[in-house]
């Protein structure tokens, strides 16, 4: 009787939950009734055990379990089906709305912080819901469906619930298949980097490159990052892929230097998940491997990447800055960063998002936003780059407002490494 119970909070484990589900399925079938399965996951469990240790993790799980137990009805079953994954069987649910209310009540129990080792910790929870017989008709499939819904709730930002929908399962399958293709593509060397020039409007000189990832998929041609980066971010493949991008950009820079070309800084995009899982030393090690001066490398991050895990991001950025590695805020203006937070952010450059540059100079609002960002960057002592400059009028407006660094089709499209080397060679001749 003890074995199927979880050692820690004394809850049914996965195997027991599955057999209890079998019983619920039988009963619901006999009476033509409905019931719900909820899967719950904590957003900060790993972070807490990593920083406070496993004992704190155990205490946290106990607290979570008792908060769930007191929130649901006595007839409901609470179990633990993974490290920080809980399942709840709501046996008397006649419609979806009731399961939703129960989920909201459980989530509300996590609005209060948990006291651990004398300090308060907010442990956000997310919940996925599957209904019998609407979404699945076996124990395992019910849990899988609730898990798929949980995944969607987390992707939508967490601290919320989501119901299972067939599209979610289809999407999960597509993501898995694409993830497999991406991993194989990396092993087969199908990825390459293109380089888009950053150009000075004062004398048209080449001031840097941004490395942009391309997938040369046999039989499909060049696939742009918008089609696979979000999935790679989702599945976690972005971490090895992002490491490859930085390594490849550094390898290319080293090759250019060894050929006698005078290099310019190369910017590499770092996705939120990649930033969360790496330290400044990890990035530094890749750059050092190619014996490059750190100021030849710039990392581009979005505001969202910083906001997701502010403490970690701030410490990584500060360490990068101390190492002399440049950091740019990409797509600036599209996130939700406040001025006070921008002031604290140890970055070197702001990149004005293309969506604002697009409207210049015909849209009054965009003119205002762009000129304000330029003035703000100036005030904070940051460099500013305008993205997506396609027309001469846009360049004129930017120059007039003292933004002299641009990246866009007007001054150069992303090109393969060979053509990028030609641009470096031209530069060498001009300065000679
Ligand atoms: P981003 O970092 O903002 O890169 C700029 C994007 O704008 C690039 O699209 C570039 O080709 C495009 N672009 C540049 N100038 C113009 C212009 O004048 N007009 C228009 N219409 N477009 C312009 P791309 O290469 O498709 O990349 C899209 C996004 O994918 C990037 O946005 C970046 O967020 C992401 N990405 C690209 N490579 C990587 C990578 O290696 N790692 C990660 N994590 N993300 C990447
Ligand atoms: Mg970028
Ligand atoms: Mg951008």
């Amino acid at each position: 009787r003890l074995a199927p119970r979880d050692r820690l909070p004394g809850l049914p484990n996965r195997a027991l939950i599955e057999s209890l589900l079998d019983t619920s399925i039988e009963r619901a079938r006999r009476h033509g009734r409905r019931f719900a399965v909820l899967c719950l996951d904590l957003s900060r469990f790993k972070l807490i055990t990593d920083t406070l240790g496993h004992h704190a993790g155990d205490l946290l799980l106990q607290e979570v379990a008792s908060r769930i137990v007191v929130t649901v009805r006595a007839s409901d079953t609470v179990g633990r089906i993974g490290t920080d994954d809980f399942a709840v069987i709501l046996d008397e649910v006649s419609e979806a709305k009731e399961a939703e209310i129960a989920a909201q009540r459980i989530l509300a129990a996590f609005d209060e912080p948990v006291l651990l080792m004398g300090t308060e910790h907010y442990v956000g929870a997310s919940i996925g819901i599957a209904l019998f017989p609407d979404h699945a008709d076996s124990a395992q499939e019910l849990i899988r469906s609730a898990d798929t819904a949980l995944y969607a709730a987390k992707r939508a930002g967490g601290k919320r619930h989501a119901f299972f929908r067939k599209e979610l399962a289809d999407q999960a399958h597509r993501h898995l298949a694409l993830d497999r293709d991406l991993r194989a593509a990396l092993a087969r060397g199908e990825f390459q980097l293109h380089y888009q020039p950053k150009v000075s409007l004062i004398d048209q000189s080449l001031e840097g490159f941004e490395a942009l990832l391309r997938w040369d998929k046999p039989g499909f041609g060049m696939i742009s990052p918008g089609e696979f980066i979000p999935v790679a971010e989702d599945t976690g493949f972005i971490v090895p892929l992002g490491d490859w991008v930085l390594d490849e950009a550094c390898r290319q820079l080293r090759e250019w230097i060894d050929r006698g070309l005078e290099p310019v800084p190369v910017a590499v995009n770092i996705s939120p998940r990649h930033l969360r899982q790496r330290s400044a030393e990890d990035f530094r090690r890749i750059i050092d491997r190619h014996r490059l001066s750190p100021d030849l490398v710039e990392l581009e991050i979005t505001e969202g990447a910083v906001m997701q895990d502010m403490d970690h991001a701030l410490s990584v950025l500060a360490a990068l800055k101390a190492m002399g590695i440049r950091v740019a805020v990409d797509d600036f203006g599209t996130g939700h960063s406040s001025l006070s937070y921008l002031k604290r952010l140890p970055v070197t450059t702001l990149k004005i998002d293309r969506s604002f540059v697009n409207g210049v100079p015909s849209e009054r609002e965009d003119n205002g936003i762009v000129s304000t960002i330029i003035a703000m960057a100036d005030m904070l002592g940051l460099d500013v780059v305008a993205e997506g400059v396609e027309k001469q009028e846009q360049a004129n407006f930017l120059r007039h407002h003292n933004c002299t660094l641009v990246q866009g089709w007007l001054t150069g499209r992303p090109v393969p490494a060979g053509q990028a080397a030609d641009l470096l060679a031209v530069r060498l001749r001009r300065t000679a």
Side-chain angles (χ1 to χ4, degrees), residues 420-432:
D422 295 343
L423 292 172
L424 286 175
V426 169
R427 175 168 181 269
L428 199 59
R429 278 201 298 279
R430 274 171 51 136
T431 49

Side-chain angles (χ1 to χ4, degrees), residues 48 61 84 101-102 182 226 285 305 322 328 354 382 403 407 411:
I48 287 174
L61 292 175
D84 61 335
I101 290 167
L182 289 172
R285 218 169 298 123
R354 191 173 78 215
L382 302 175
C403 171
Q407 178 185 340
T411 48

Side-chain angles (χ1 to χ4, degrees), residues 259-310:
R259 272 163 51 190
L261 294 166
E262 200 191 318
V264 291
V266 173
V268 167
N269 293 284
I270 302 293
S271 87
R273 185 147 177 185
H274 194 195
L275 181 69
R276 268 199 324 255
Q277 301 206 352
R278 288 283 180 260
S279 66
E281 288 71 30
D282 293 329
F283 295 128
R284 174 67 189 265
R285 218 169 298 123
I286 296 179
I287 297 168
D288 283 350
R289 201 185 292 160
H290 301 275
R291 294 167 290 118
L292 293 174
S293 162
D295 59 4
L296 275 180
V297 176
E298 184 166 79
L299 304 183
E300 293 192 3
I301 54 164
T302 57
E303 293 163 77
V306 178
M307 306 294 276
Q308 277 186 16
D309 192 348
M310 188 88 123

Side-chain angles (χ1 to χ4, degrees), residues 149-423:
L150 171 62
Y151 188 59
K154 286 204 283 194
R155 253 214 333 251
K159 295 186 187 171
R160 69 190 70 207
H161 72 272
F163 277 96
F164 175 80
R165 279 180 290 126
K166 181 157 180 319
E167 304 88 84
L168 294 178
D170 296 345
Q171 192 189 44
H173 282 130
R174 274 201 311 277
H175 280 195
L176 272 180
L178 182 53
D179 184 64
R180 258 197 318 275
D181 288 353
L182 289 172
R183 286 172 200 269
L186 183 60
R188 282 193 222 112
E190 289 171 10
F191 287 109
Q192 47 175 273
L193 296 181
H194 282 191
Y195 297 86
Q196 186 174 32
K198 292 181 195 175
V199 174
S200 162
L201 286 179
I202 295 172
D203 57 0
Q204 306 300 312
S205 62
L206 176 67
E207 301 292 327
F209 283 122
E210 176 175 5
L212 294 160
L213 188 57
R214 299 289 180 265
W215 178 10
D216 188 4
K217 188 179 180 191
F220 287 83
M222 222 41 110
I223 302 185
S224 63
E227 294 185 35
F228 58 86
I229 294 275
V231 174
E233 169 83 20
D234 211 68
T235 63
F237 179 60
I238 192 67
V239 177
L241 183 59
D243 283 347
W244 179 85
V245 171
L246 179 58
D247 188 71
E248 171 61 15
C250 291
R251 188 201 60 75
Q252 188 61 69
L253 263 170
R254 170 45 59 195
E255 191 198 299
W256 286 333
I257 294 169
D258 289 347
R259 272 163 51 190
L261 294 166
E262 200 191 318
V264 291
V266 173
V268 167
N269 293 284
I270 302 293
S271 87
R273 185 147 177 185
H274 194 195
L275 181 69
R276 268 199 324 255
Q277 301 206 352
R278 288 283 180 260
S279 66
E281 288 71 30
D282 293 329
F283 295 128
R284 174 67 189 265
R285 218 169 298 123
I286 296 179
I287 297 168
D288 283 350
R289 201 185 292 160
H290 301 275
R291 294 167 290 118
L292 293 174
S293 162
D295 59 4
L296 275 180
V297 176
E298 184 166 79
L299 304 183
E300 293 192 3
I301 54 164
T302 57
E303 293 163 77
V306 178
M307 306 294 276
Q308 277 186 16
D309 192 348
M310 188 88 123
D311 294 342
H312 176 72
L314 285 178
S315 80
V316 174
L317 297 191
L320 287 171
K321 190 170 189 179
M323 293 171 183
I325 299 169
R326 303 174 54 84
V327 179
V329 181
D330 205 354
D331 306 341
F332 186 75
T334 58
H336 305 279
S337 43
S338 68
L339 267 178
S340 63
Y341 134 98
L342 186 61
K343 197 181 88 182
R344 288 205 296 146
L345 213 57
V347 297
T348 36
T349 308
L350 296 185
K351 296 190 77 178
I352 308 174
D353 191 62
R354 191 173 78 215
S355 59
F356 305 120
V357 175
N358 217 351
V360 168
S362 55
E363 305 285 330
R364 242 188 73 232
E365 289 87 355
D366 290 335
N367 293 349
I369 291 168
V370 168
S371 56
T372 303
I373 295 175
I374 298 168
M376 207 166 67
D378 185 50
M379 181 184 74
L380 293 166
L382 302 175
D383 293 340
V384 60
V385 179
E387 285 191 273
V389 178
E390 294 178 357
K391 301 192 202 85
Q392 192 57 50
E393 304 96 83
Q394 293 167 336
N396 294 344
F397 178 95
L398 290 162
R399 196 187 301 111
H400 181 75
H401 286 87
N402 288 320
C403 171
T404 52
L405 215 48
V406 301
Q407 178 185 340
W409 292 351
L410 179 71
T411 48
R413 298 210 177 209
V415 292
Q419 288 176 48
D422 295 343
L423 292 172

